[in-house]
Amino acid sequence: QRGVRAPGSCPTRTFPRPALCPRSRGAEPPGAMVFRSMTSGIASAASIRGSITSSNSVLGSVMSAMGVGGTAGEDTATRKSRIQEGLKKAFDAKDRFQKEGLVTMEAGENETLTIPEGSMERIMEAKYGAFEEDSGSWHDVLDKLEKQLAGGTTISVSNSTMGGDPKPGVRKVLRVIYRPKTEEVKLEIKEGQQVCIPESESVVEATYGDGDTFVDVLVPLQSALIGANGRAITAANELFGGDPAPGKVKTLRITMLPSRTRLAFKLNTSRELATFEVAAPWLFHDLCDAVGVTQQALFDSLTLEDLKGGEKQESGKSGEVFWFTSDRQYVLKTISDEEIATLVRMLPEYTAYLKANKDSLLTRYLGVFSLFDNGDKTQFVIMNNIFEGAPDLDVMYDLKGTTEDRWVDPAPGKCLKDNNFAEVTVYFEDATASEIYKTIASDTKFLQKQGIMDYSLMVAFAYSSGGNLLAPPRTRRYSKLIGGLPAHSEEGVLKPERKSGLVFIGMVDMLVTYGWKKIAAHVIKSNTIGWQDEIDTVAPERYATRFRGFFAKKLMGESDKVSVTEVSPDLFESPMPALGRSGGTAAFFKVTYKEGAERPAEQQSPHYWIGKDLARARDEVDFYERAKSLKGTPGYQMLDWMTPYMGVSLAQCEVQEGQPPKPLEVMLLRNGRDGYKSCRMLDIKIGQVTAVGGWQNKSSFQAWLQVNTIDHNTNSDREGFRLEGFDSPPASVLSVEDLIEEGAAANAAIGLAKIKRLNLQRYTASQFTSRFLDLHDASSSAYAKKHKIWKPPSPEGAAIDPNFLSIVETQELVLLNCIEQLCSLIKACRAAPVPQQWIGSSVMLAFDCATRPAREVLQQGSPWNVARVHTFDWGRSELNTPAAHARLEDHVKEERRKFWGYYCGGVARLLYQCVRVYLVRFWHEKRSICCTVWDKDRYTADDFIGRCAVPLESKGGQETLSDFAGAPVVSGMLRGTKAQLGLGIKPRELPQGSRLRDCWAVRVHDASNLPSRDMTSDNDVFVEVQGLDVEAAGAADLSSASKQFFVREGAHLTTVAIDQKTPVFEEEFEIATLTEDARSSIVNALAIAMDMEGKPQEELLREINDYFPTTFKGSPDETVLASLLARFAQKCLPGLVVR
């Protein structure tokens, strides 16, 4: 809506319009005056007191930062003078109207003047003359113009239309003074009809409805009229947000005051006449009344003394110009056409909002004006100074809650940004912090409704010095939150720098909408930078949510403060050697207590702790410290399962091999491997969604990528968790990694490490649990031969050492111990007072896979202490409390419930699958074994080769393989050679007092005559061994999917014999059944999980048999199993929507 305007011309005046002059033909002023924010870039990180010469006030800070001194250039001074002249005429006109009821309008020669039709009662004066001369000498043109002006005609101002040239060679002006109609004009528009009201501010009352049911629609109607920009609008339910009288034809009743017109004046210059316009004066008048600003006070501040400033700000992106009133109460800032349009459009709702929310942090916009001078256009808004009355400011931040391009090199006169604020937290009194959060939430919702984004919260500090506390202002003109608030800031983690004083806050830059330019910028940035949630160009809803979340963690109450526990590095050997990095790139260091160092009795192991680089774990420190403060609090028993945390130590660490040690802040966590000869550990990431955009600094792009490439393609999507790490895996897992390593082409394209990790992530709970328990000896297998660790096979069914648990006894007790701890964790989660948002955190299962527990462990009973279960990895998690939860918005509370359902549901599913493996392996007496032979594929599902069911009493031999339907599997050119599997089966006696009975040793010797399942190579063979509770004949037919699933669920498995025609295994497994007395342990554990403690054993057994059908004949299909799992999870977690 910009064009070229002839010098001295004025735009045709229609209203409303985004730029106040849609037909303006004037060029933009040189160096278009568009600056960034009302106070952006106007203070420094260091104290700016020494750099201020003009004043010790915030205004001096502002001017110094902007490079504005006591004098300005000639153009700047002229423009300030004309702005103040225009403001005086504007206030004079408003004053004349209020006192005499007269409206004055002016238009220059070769311009036009229009009085809206029906708005004028009588023309009092119409004169045309030279602007420089006294108006008393001007020609009276009242008779000539009265008739056509009364009809609302637009007049072209020229010598010919005015009847002559009163003074040739100089500039002329037409001035019309008229009395507007004072009586109300009432309109009634039926639903579906259209109405056109160019000047929306003339509407003073509007109702919509039928009969006795009418509702007030003034604000939405005014907004709609402004948005229509002079076009007709249709009376409809959609326009007013509802149907007050369903089934009836509604009527829109409008009351207008024609006296509410716009204002425009001519200003004298040394060149062409200048035009000064006032946008929506009466709407702004209402706004001033709403926020308690009198017209006289505003006039005095703006006109009695010279304005300060008027130069472009050195920092900032847009180039706006600022002026300040000498009393420091108001700021004048140049703004764009689009910003004016946004402000005028939202004025009615903005005024209504500020009336209803007196303590809003929003900037108070008090008027919009335009100066057209010699082809230049200056448009500016008047607003309150949010730092009015502030003492010397030490540092100021412009904060948006984003990180893209939000760093400023600290220097005198610069306003810092979000990345400078990263280590800073501000603490207020709890009540004040709560009010701030609620106000920010309300304000951002209003801005979101208006389609506004890219706003900022200004945060400025005036620190106390010399022990003298700064006193907050006695009065607050706009809001109890605008003006100095007592607070203190802390910067850093281990030894935060604390500063007390006054904090000044206010929201600015509230006139940018998410239009096509911002949408285009969002698309470009999100597809190049990739940080969709860090960039500033995001949609209003996303922007508001991110903004609220950011300040909820940065402006906090004193009770929310968490102090970091400092641990002396003198307790430990120095330097700390590096151990490696986690999946999140955090470095770990070996921590060793010094000999003789004092420590608690339970920490007698010198390697009880492990160090984690705090630079990559700062989010976790806050979580762990809050957890320490809440431990023992009723409802927070789930924190007992967290990895123990000691604190943070500033220690010398060997960061890089061959380089001198460096001081690092390290977080001290329980060493999960401590006390174990070889720690087998599962890192199980809980939740079907493990990344959320905008949560704990996770970008939308990163979250989207993780959800769509990992969550949806791994066990997270299937069972609600996935295996993320596997320490000290058995040979059965390592042999699969050998196979993966041979896939050179895919490895080169994707990466070997990623493929290995994806292989783990796709394991189901049944699969990784069976591998977790895998303790069988594979030293005589093809895998051992390949790795040159082969040993001759041991005798079949060798005797068990009576002093230690056997393999199968260790497996049973480790899995039982894990299940018992998971059951207690479920109980603890069930007691949580409020839902938590634990995203991407993990459950650890661990035991010593190189050492068999001593048999005495069976005498001590539960807790067995043969396995460890901990929760850990809190970098993307929040520890919610009832007080914090109460402050959350309803939709955020719903988010907490959803993700708490994900977490608890994931743990419940993990428990369920572990229990199924336990029951399948140990609950029912075994009568036969089923062996299935498979060809392992690197990237796709395994190929079935054959299977056999063998009675346990048979002692084994060369068993013929059959397909699932029972037909023999054959190979060879004529398909006449039967495939076979060599087995050996022997009973194994367990020592007295064992929890198990009927133990059998099953050895897989070899396989022969296997049909090829690979097109270009021999099979990559492995065998699964499963004990069955039916005779071998009962397992002759495995054609149903449920039977095929059963024989694989929790099965023992051999290593993979890669590319072998006649694979040799010589791998032995143990199968056994629980004694009757030992059954009570799992029953009692499940009673805890299902909230059935104290119930009779018979009732508990019925529940277990109902939820866990684990007999061969009663094996459920996947649909039934999914239903049972969901029911079990809901049983464990009633009242929680388990995901």
Side-chain angles (χ1 to χ4, degrees), residues 915-959:
V915 171
R916 277 197 63 84
V917 171
Y918 184 90
L919 296 180
V920 167
R921 281 200 175 189
F922 305 114
W923 191 256
H924 302 287
E925 182 179 357
K926 305 302 183 284
R927 301 180 181 276
S928 63
I929 61 166
C930 180
C931 296
T932 51
V933 183
W934 300 85
D935 169 45
K936 184 68 182 178
D937 284 348
R938 291 184 182 90
Y939 315 118
T940 58
D942 302 331
D943 298 319
F944 174 70
I945 296 177
R947 58 92 188 183
C948 63
V950 183
L952 286 171
E953 295 82 3
S954 68
K955 297 185 180 181
Q958 290 297 316
E959 302 293 336

Side-chain angles (χ1 to χ4, degrees), residues 965-1005:
V969 174
V970 294
S971 64
M973 293 186 64
L974 301 178
R975 315 299 290 175
T977 306
K978 293 182 179 180
Q980 293 186 317
L981 182 67
L983 296 174
I985 304 174
K986 285 190 175 182
R988 178 167 287 179
E989 185 175 350
L990 296 171
Q992 188 175 2
S994 174
R995 291 174 47 82
L996 302 177
R997 60 182 176 87
D998 301 332
C999 181
W1000 298 85
V1002 179
R1003 178 166 294 188
V1004 179
H1005 293 294

Side-chain angles (χ1 to χ4, degrees), residues 982-1036:
L983 296 174
I985 304 174
K986 285 190 175 182
R988 178 167 287 179
E989 185 175 350
L990 296 171
Q992 188 175 2
S994 174
R995 291 174 47 82
L996 302 177
R997 60 182 176 87
D998 301 332
C999 181
W1000 298 85
V1002 179
R1003 178 166 294 188
V1004 179
H1005 293 294
D1006 52 30
S1008 58
N1009 306 322
L1010 301 179
S1012 179
R1013 294 292 185 254
D1014 288 340
M1015 298 181 64
T1016 59
S1017 64
D1018 291 320
N1019 294 321
D1020 305 309
V1021 186
F1022 72 99
V1023 181
E1024 292 181 336
V1025 179
Q1026 182 72 288
L1028 302 180
D1029 61 328
V1030 296
E1031 301 294 344

Side-chain angles (χ1 to χ4, degrees), residues 50-69:
S51 66
I52 301 169
T53 58
S54 60
S55 172
N56 286 330
S57 68
V58 64
L59 178 59
S61 306
V62 169
M63 294 176 62
S64 174
M66 291 173 55
V68 179

